[in-house]
Every structure is written in C-alpha cells, then in structure tokens.
Amino acid sequence: MTVITHERFHPSEPVEFTESPTVAAGAGAAAITLSGLEKSFDANRVLRGINLHIPAGQFVAVIGKSGCGKSTLLRILMGLDEPTGGEISFEGADGAEIQPNARIVFQEPRLLPWLSVADNVVVGLGEGVEKRRAREEAKAVLDEVQLGEKAGEWPARLSGGQRQRVALARALVSKPGILALDEPLGALDALTRISMQQLLNRVWRELGCTTVLVTHDVSEAVHLADRVIVLEEGRIALDLAIPYPHPRRHGNPALAELEGRLLSAILGSDGGH
Ligand SMILES: Nc1ncnc2c1ncn2[C@@H]1O[C@H](COP(=O)(O)OP(=O)(O)OP(=O)(O)O)[C@@H](O)[C@H]1O
Ligand SMILES: [Mg+2]
C-alpha cells in the first residue's frame, strides 16, 4: 500500500482557483498533531500508526470503508478514548501545548427532550455561565443556524434537519477550537443535506475552528474540506489537498475529478490513472 503525504493536486484548468482555500484560524483554534497513533481493541489493531499534523483552522474530512477506524480516531481526538500507543498533542496560536475546547456532533442529534431548544443549546456552554447571558448566547447561535424563532420550542416538534441544526448550535455556542463531526448529515435527505453543508461551511469560515468531519459521502468531503484523508487498514492511505476557495459550487468539474480519485482510493483501484 502506498502512503502519500500532503499530495498537492494541480488542477488541469484554473477553475475557481483564485485565492487561498484556507480560512483564517479563529482565536481559540488549535493545531492537532498525531504521532504514531495506535489503537487496539484486544487483538483488533484498528489504528496502526497514524502520523498527521492538522494546522489550526483547517477543515479536514476523513473517509474510508465502514469499520476502518474513523469514529475511533475522532473519539481519541475528543479525549473520549485513550490511544494504546503513540501521541496526540494540541497547540495554540503561539505553538505552546494547550487543552483545546473541543466539541463533537454525531449522526443523531442527541437532544434532551425535556428541555426547550434554547436550553438544549445552553447545555453546550457547560457550568458557570450566568443564566441570562447563556440564554442570549444560545439565541445568537440559534439565529446563526436560522432557528432563532424555534428557541422556545420542544425538540420533538422539530424536523430531523432542524434537530441536527440545534445539535450544531449546541456544539458551536462555546466557540470551540476544535469541532469534530461524525457523519452529522448522514441521516438527512439530499436537499436538507446540501443546505446543511452550506451552513457548516459558513459557520466554519466565520468561527475558524479546526474541523474534522467524518463522512461516507465523498462529494461532501471535497465540497467542504481543505484536505481529505482516506483511512485504510488503520493507516492513512491518501492525504489529498482540495485547493479551491470556499464556498464551492456543486457541478465544478475539477471537484468531480478529485471525487473520482478519492473513490478509487477507497475502492482500491487506481481508477485507470
Ligand atoms: N469500544 C469498542 N470495543 C471493541 N471494538 C471496538 C470498539 N469501538 C470500535 N471498535 C472496533 O474498531 C473498529 C473501527 O470502528 P469504528 O467505529 O472506528 O469504525 P468507523 O470507520 O467509524 O465505521 P463506520 O463507517 O461504520 O462508522 C471496528 O472493527 C470496531 O468493531
Ligand atoms: Mg463511525
């Protein structure tokens, strides 16, 4: 298996490639460094030496076959699980090691049904924030995800896409330095998915948080990410830069070409190239 690190894509035609694709890193954004990261569950070696540096503010998509270790990698990034080998470190803007404010959104919104939409978002602020200020911050971030008018509503009365926007608002309200997303749009219909992708792209550009998106949708990965990583047999099989400015247009042929290359990498053929 070939390991390609930081491969650059040179577009055959200068379509929409007019400026740097990376947005300015936000104030609390953290860089992530994984060195020889290993994770085994008994005899099952899931992650087999992952070396990866993610600069602060970068948007990385992680793709790969079911069971290849994507969620395991995210859990370790979030501190929800311990690696069995190697190291993980986070650096702030000045290069010093920090404990970042990291938040995760899952495929299911996991809202608390006995709390209003606004109070579900307040939960994301954690303890110790004065109630009125917490409500104001929740309202502001709900406006951001276009749900301001649903602040007093019960989660049960929202659509699936609206619930997932509340889950995103809950993750964003504390202005995280790292945002981890584990197939957050996987349960949504195609149209809702596209509008959620646009929303994710916009909030990422505004907040400038380091973002790691696990997705099984290769098109979603190339439309949203600065860089797409393919995991295979516990290692990085491909690390592909997507050097196009945001927001990106659907139907861009250069993106379609990158999508094809990524699909070939996942499916294990060279795609005829
Ligand atoms: N808590 C656990 N205990 C034992 N094995 C686990 C545990 N969590 C994950 N695994 C194993 O680790 C491997 C990777 O699982 P993981 O959930 O990371 O895959 P994934 O790439 O996210 O898959 P999917 O695309 O289906 O979500 C699988 O073989 C799984 O069985
Ligand atoms: Mg998973």
Side-chain angles (χ1 to χ4, degrees):
M1 185 192 61
T2 340
V3 177
I4 305 167
T5 330
H6 292 280
E7 185 190 3
R8 299 299 299 187
F9 173 70
H10 301 290
S12 48
E13 40 187 315
V15 202
E16 291 184 18
F17 191 25
T18 52
E19 57 183 73
S20 163
T22 307
V23 300
I32 305 170
T33 306
L34 309 177
S35 321
L37 196 79
E38 302 260 346
K39 180 67 181 178
S40 298
F41 295 101
D42 301 319
N44 184 7
R45 282 185 74 203
V46 177
L47 302 179
R48 306 179 178 198
I50 306 271
N51 295 305
L52 180 65
H53 177 74
I54 304 176
Q58 192 172 58
F59 193 131
V60 178
V62 179
I63 60 178
K65 289 186 182 138
S66 180
C68 72
K70 304 180 295 295
S71 296
T72 302
L73 180 65
L74 270 201
R75 289 178 57 79
I76 292 174
L77 275 182
M78 294 298 297
L80 298 171
D81 209 345
E82 288 287 316
T84 41
E87 281 181 12
I88 175 163
S89 64
F90 303 97
E91 302 95 43
D94 59 358
E97 203 161 318
I98 55 163
Q99 281 300 324
N101 175 19
R103 297 291 156 136
I104 188 163
V105 179
F106 297 99
Q107 183 166 342
E108 336 75 62
R110 303 187 183 192
L111 303 179
L112 301 171
W114 59 87
L115 292 182
S116 70
V117 162
D119 284 339
N120 265 282
V121 175
V122 165
V123 167
L125 282 170
E127 304 285 305
V129 181
E130 190 260 316
K131 202 168 176 184
R132 207 174 119 209
R133 215 189 97 214
R135 277 293 181 89
E136 280 168 12
E137 289 187 20
K139 179 68 172 54
V141 73
L142 279 169
D143 284 341
E144 186 75 9
V145 300
Q146 286 130 26
L147 278 181
E149 78 283 9
K150 301 282 186 193
E153 198 55 271
W154 299 112
R157 293 171 58 100
L158 302 184
S159 72
Q162 289 171 334
R163 279 181 214 160
Q164 200 55 328
R165 277 188 275 158
V166 178
L168 181 64
R170 181 181 54 193
L172 293 175
V173 71
S174 66
K175 300 197 169 42
I178 296 178
L179 180 64
L181 305 154
D182 197 349
E183 303 201 27
L185 313 183
L188 304 177
D189 68 86
L191 283 179
T192 310
R193 221 179 148 90
I194 289 180
S195 67
M196 284 288 284
Q197 287 169 1
Q198 290 166 344
L199 172 66
L200 258 184
N201 180 259
R202 184 166 54 77
V203 295
W204 165 68
R205 283 184 288 131
E206 280 166 16
L207 196 58
C209 53
T210 311
T211 303
V212 185
L213 167 74
V214 166
T215 180
H216 63 260
D217 182 338
V218 180
S219 163
E220 180 168 292
V222 300
H223 277 88
L224 293 179
D226 290 326
R227 178 181 182 189
V228 181
I229 281 161
V230 179
L231 275 191
E232 186 186 301
E233 291 172 4
R235 294 190 181 87
I236 294 175
L238 183 65
D239 181 351
L240 190 67
I242 314 290
Y244 292 92
H246 299 277
R248 294 172 182 159
R249 194 168 47 79
H250 278 268
N252 177 336
L255 292 181
E257 188 187 334
L258 288 172
E259 213 178 300
R261 289 178 63 183
L262 287 163
L263 271 175
S264 301
I266 299 175
L267 299 174
S269 90
D270 67 4
H273 296 299

